[in-house]
Amino acid sequence: MLSTPDESFSGQRTPEGVAARLERLILDGIFRTGQLLPSERRLCERLGVSRASLREGLRILRSKGIIETRQGRGSTVASLLPAREQSPLMHLFRDHPRTLFDLLEVRALLEGESARLAASRGNPADRVLITRRYREMADYVASADPIDVERLARLDHAFHLAISQASHNPVLVHTLQSLTDLLLSSVFASVKNLYHRPEPREMINRQHARLHDAVVKGKPQLAQRVALEHLNGLGEALREIEAEDERLERSAMRLEGWE
């Protein structure tokens, strides 16, 4: 039997309802891993609940391991995934560069869909954040001399993450966030190996601009196509550099009489 609006609202004020509302905020990325939750007074005001219900709701989240509370420091969102650095699989991925091309394929699958959903579901606030991240990246590229590869990689990653958050699909967002270390490594490799070359640099800048425009102008199919072109283009450019290095190595070996 469906509850009436008054019953539904009342249920949101119970400790269980408070916990469920906070869980939704965490799933939606409003509160992120490691982030300090607002004060009890602020949470009570925003959620329209009593302090007693809030405290019991927070206790429920602590019992689930979703938040961590330290005396005198408040509550923070706990890590929702196993520590990446403890995963043998992550060590294998990091230590074997060939997996970079596999990762680019995965990024194309996930980020292509993220761009499509962001263009169709994104709201004005999402578009402001995407544009802000894009401008931070573009302004740095235009002004920095020389380019700090690690900083640019982080700005690049932040731009793509803002697009994924605008998809409003918590599972997709958290899947991408669980791969943060690997995604950053792929962005770093792309920037390090391609950005000092004029043609790839122009390609990357142009594709980022087109991706930004397609998403903020609400063009889902175009956004997906540009995202796929961007990631496939990176893979092709990196493979060409790899082939070029192999050709140079063979030529050097012949010169030294190894063949």
Side-chain angles (χ1 to χ4, degrees):
M1 179 178 178
L2 294 175
S3 60
T4 66
D6 286 344
E7 290 173 339
S8 177
F9 185 69
S10 177
Q12 292 181 11
R13 289 178 167 177
T14 65
E16 293 76 12
V18 172
R21 291 168 71 186
L22 289 172
E23 287 175 348
R24 189 74 230 178
L25 291 171
I26 292 170
L27 272 175
D28 288 343
I30 307 302
F31 298 140
R32 301 183 190 178
T33 298
Q35 181 176 344
L36 182 68
L37 295 181
S39 66
E40 287 188 358
R41 180 178 64 81
R42 181 66 170 159
L43 284 173
C44 287
E45 290 174 354
R46 292 299 301 271
L47 299 176
V49 299
S50 69
R51 183 160 290 191
S53 289
L54 175 67
R55 288 179 174 175
E56 183 61 19
L58 292 174
R59 187 197 66 76
I60 292 171
L61 295 187
R62 279 195 299 275
S63 70
K64 294 180 178 180
I66 294 173
I67 64 170
E68 299 171 343
T69 303
R70 295 183 182 179
Q71 189 66 32
R73 295 187 60 184
S75 298
T76 58
V77 180
S79 175
L80 304 179
L81 295 156
R84 290 184 292 269
E85 63 273 10
Q86 296 176 2
S87 167
L89 183 60
M90 291 301 175
H91 284 300
L92 285 173
F93 283 161
R94 277 196 295 267
D95 294 342
H96 293 273
R98 289 294 306 168
T99 60
L100 171 62
F101 298 110
D102 299 322
L103 181 56
L104 286 172
E105 289 180 358
V106 173
R107 283 187 62 190
L109 291 170
L110 297 178
E111 293 184 25
E113 185 64 8
S114 289
R116 186 185 71 81
L117 292 174
S120 60
R121 297 177 178 176
N123 56 46
D126 293 323
R127 291 191 284 273
V128 167
L129 184 58
I130 290 169
T131 296
R132 184 179 300 164
R133 295 292 174 259
Y134 171 72
R135 288 269 32 115
E136 288 171 351
M137 176 179 62
D139 290 347
Y140 179 72
V141 166
S143 62
D145 185 22
I147 293 285
D148 182 322
V149 172
E150 183 173 353
R151 182 176 178 186
L152 179 55
R154 292 190 178 280
L155 291 171
D156 187 318
H157 177 62
F159 168 60
H160 288 284
L161 181 60
I163 292 174
S164 77
Q165 290 168 339
S167 73
H168 291 276
N169 183 319
V171 176
L172 181 57
V173 173
H174 285 283
T175 298
L176 284 166
Q177 288 180 333
S178 73
L179 297 171
T180 292
D181 287 352
L182 288 175
L183 294 179
L184 268 174
S185 71
S186 79
V187 175
F188 182 84
S190 301
V191 172
K192 181 180 179 181
N193 290 290
L194 299 176
Y195 218 77
H196 64 285
R197 299 168 181 249
E199 288 187 11
R201 180 172 63 246
E202 291 175 9
M203 176 193 74
I204 293 171
N205 291 343
R206 182 174 63 254
Q207 289 172 341
H208 278 155
R210 291 180 63 213
L211 179 58
H212 165 267
D213 290 348
V215 172
V216 300
K217 291 178 180 177
K219 299 179 178 180
Q221 302 307 320
L222 178 60
Q224 184 177 44
R225 185 165 68 249
V226 173
L228 293 175
E229 288 174 357
H230 173 55
L231 291 161
N232 291 335
L234 291 177
E236 290 172 6
L238 289 170
R239 282 191 174 89
E240 177 55 33
I241 290 174
E242 184 179 59
E244 179 182 325
D245 289 343
E246 290 175 354
R247 289 193 293 268
L248 288 171
E249 183 178 358
R250 286 196 297 271
S251 296
M253 290 173 67
R254 283 194 293 271
L255 186 63
E256 295 171 5
W258 283 44
E259 291 186 356

